[in-house]
Amino acid sequence: MKRRDFFLNAVRSATMVGLGGLFASFVHKAKADGKVWQIDPWKCTQCGLCATECVLEQSAVKCVHSFDICGYCRLCTGYFEPQPNSLNTAAENQLCPTGAIFRTFVEDPYYEYTINEPLCVGCAKCVKGCTMFGNGSLHLQIRHNVCVHCNECSIARACPADAIHRVPVDQPYKFKSRGEQV
Amino acid sequence: MIWLLAAQRFPPPEFTETGHKLPGFLAPLPRGPWMEHFDVIVLLMALALASWLALRGRSRRGLVALGTFSVMYFGFWRKGCICSIGSIQNIAQGLADSSFGVPATVLAFGLAPLVFALLFGRVFCSSVCPHGALQDLMLIKPVKVPVWLEHGLRLIPYMYLGLAMIFAATGGGYIICQYDPFVTIFRFSGSALMVSCGIELLVFGMFIGRPYCRFLCPYGVILGMASNVAKWRVRITPDTCTQCRLCEQSCPFDAINPATIETPSRTVKTDKRRLAAMILLLPLLLVSGGWLGGLTGKRLAHKHRTVSLAERIYLEETGKATDTTDASAAFRATGAPVENLYADAQSVRDRYVLAGRWCGVWIALVAGGKLISLAIRRKRYDYEADQTRCVACARCFKSCPQELQRLGLPVPEGAPLAPPNSPAIF
Ligand code: SF4
Ligand code: SF4
Ligand code: SF4
Ligand code: SF4
């Protein structure tokens, strides 16, 4: 029994030292403490999977708007159906399936478009319209007040453009902005 | 490229007339880092309490209360992530890829239960792991699984662990998270498949004790190994075992090893011969395991994002496919050269083969170890909780007449009590 105890002690101590080394080597390396998932809007291809692949009932991905890129167009290709009956706010003219985009008049001929996030399901329809024919100011981001921070984001797994990666918790967004456009 | 031109299509207005100010971004933040540190503190305190309750307090009721708390806190409140079971994947990926940083919180969740297992056995499983505690609380009428089935199914977690490590280390994704049956319950949402798996496992778990822990959980494998060399351990009896056999049926997880009785049919000589054969067989097992693992790794590589994309692009380049997929279109849009993609895919394939070989060796080692352990018989004089399998739930304690006596509860008639010179617990 003595020999067995000695053996067990040795194995246990060795394992402890190993785990300690592992911890030290990683902690030494880990700069930012946490990581969260975020979409790179420059890589996103608006495939629509964000709306369906999130583990939450209603996706944590929402459309956000870079106002400094926006052209404030009267005929917004992110807001209107490709061939709208008329340029008014009637639901049948809108691209957004949930009517989450609000249009307000600013000055002739400019309109401002704002997202009502609780309604947005992250389907990227507006983003596609805006990116294909407009300035690309509408884009998708993971909202961290909704996201439950899965260890592996389900959307990242499915994203065909590999646009979703971990980002440091102190820079949790990748908003599009004018300065960024190289 | 579309994006680069995008901003020039319609110059942003100046709003000279109204002087309209552009609204800024809303940027709601994730939970602050201090919240995560708080989680680690709660984890450590729960582990310490569980150790005390299982080994010193010997209180099943206390463990049930702590388990309920863990299900509430680590499960429903924190919505399951990050959990210790999944964290081993981050650690594996961090070990394989030095550019992949593992946050300290994740590391703490992965390592703290292991350290406790080295000292006190699987106290994490008893009441701190939300998955284990949830199943433990759901168990109402335990049914015994036939021995051969139990032994067979118990090998699944070892293979699952091997596979999960391949995928994590090669950047192929976290399958433990993807196929986690209970996280869907903690979140009240998830894919239809996993939600139904979770509910089925829970219903199943009313009769088969902790099905996930016993027959699936890859982290349980590691904890079991650590628990094997634990310094202090769960003891069924607070005193010395009198071989009264009253505890024999009390463990719903088949974790009690009975005292060995002499079996005249197996002599030491045949045992020795058997053992020698097994040990000679082991190298053969390892080599073939490594070879098979390498082949499996090659197959699994097709599932990796880069490899499947490269295969698709190859089809398109050689004219075997004329349309594009979402992924190939996205790749084309980046304008990256195809050769780089092919080279990346090749290096991913190589990594899969290497990881597959290791996994094969690991599974062969587990199978070999199982065979050897069947050939060896350790003499056991007492009824003991199995080091690997016992999850420290404290259910068996009160079946021991000496525990009843210690607590001042009525002892069943005719039960033998402590022999005179019995030592104390510790
Ligand atoms: S179109 Fe889709 S992404 Fe855009 S605001 Fe509506 S729901 Fe959100
Ligand atoms: S991390 Fe989870 S909750 Fe957040 S966006 Fe991804 S899948 Fe949705
Ligand atoms: S075996 Fe796995 S799931 Fe079960 S309690 Fe232990 S760590 Fe949790
Ligand atoms: S404490 Fe007793 S009943 Fe519980 S798992 Fe261990 S041996 Fe089984």
Side-chain angles (χ1 to χ4, degrees), chain B residues 85 122 124-126 129-133 135 210 212-214 217-220 223 391:
Chain B
I85 311 173
R122 292 170 69 173
F124 173 72
C125 296
S126 73
C129 173
H131 291 51
Q135 296 171 83
R210 296 189 181 228
Y212 183 78
C213 298
R214 278 152 86 195
C217 179
Y219 194 58
L223 288 178
V391 292

Side-chain angles (χ1 to χ4, degrees), chain A residues 33 55 107 112 134-135 156 159 173, chain B residues 9-10 18 20 28 103 189 305:
Chain A
D33 196 51
V55 298
E107 65 175 55
E112 188 164 86
N135 284 0
C159 176
Y173 288 95
Chain B
R9 280 198 197 119
F10 308 99
T18 47
H20 175 68
S189 76
R305 180 197 292 284

Side-chain angles (χ1 to χ4, degrees), chain B residues 58 74 161 266 285 336 382 385:
Chain B
R58 298 178 65 82
F74 295 114
L161 175 67
R266 279 171 76 181
L285 261 179
D382 298 343

Side-chain angles (χ1 to χ4, degrees), chain B residues 331-345:
Chain B
F331 171 75
R332 303 280 187 195
T334 62
V338 187
E339 286 69 36
N340 289 5
L341 178 70
Y342 289 164
D344 285 350

Side-chain angles (χ1 to χ4, degrees), chain B residues 234 236 250-253 255-256 385 389-397:
Chain B
V234 165
I236 304 174
S250 63
C251 179
F253 315 119
I256 293 181
R389 296 189 299 244
C390 169
V391 292
C393 73
R395 276 195 180 81
C396 54
F397 296 171

Side-chain angles (χ1 to χ4, degrees), chain A residues 32-36 169-170, chain B residues 29-43 73 77-78 103-105 109:
Chain A
D33 196 51
K35 291 278 170 74
V36 289
V169 74
D170 48 0
Chain B
L29 293 178
R31 297 171 1 123
W34 67 270
M35 284 283 273
E36 296 196 354
H37 297 160
F38 181 71
D39 290 339
V40 173
I41 294 174
V42 174
L43 173 74
Y73 187 83
W77 165 246
R78 287 189 64 248
T105 323
F109 266 83

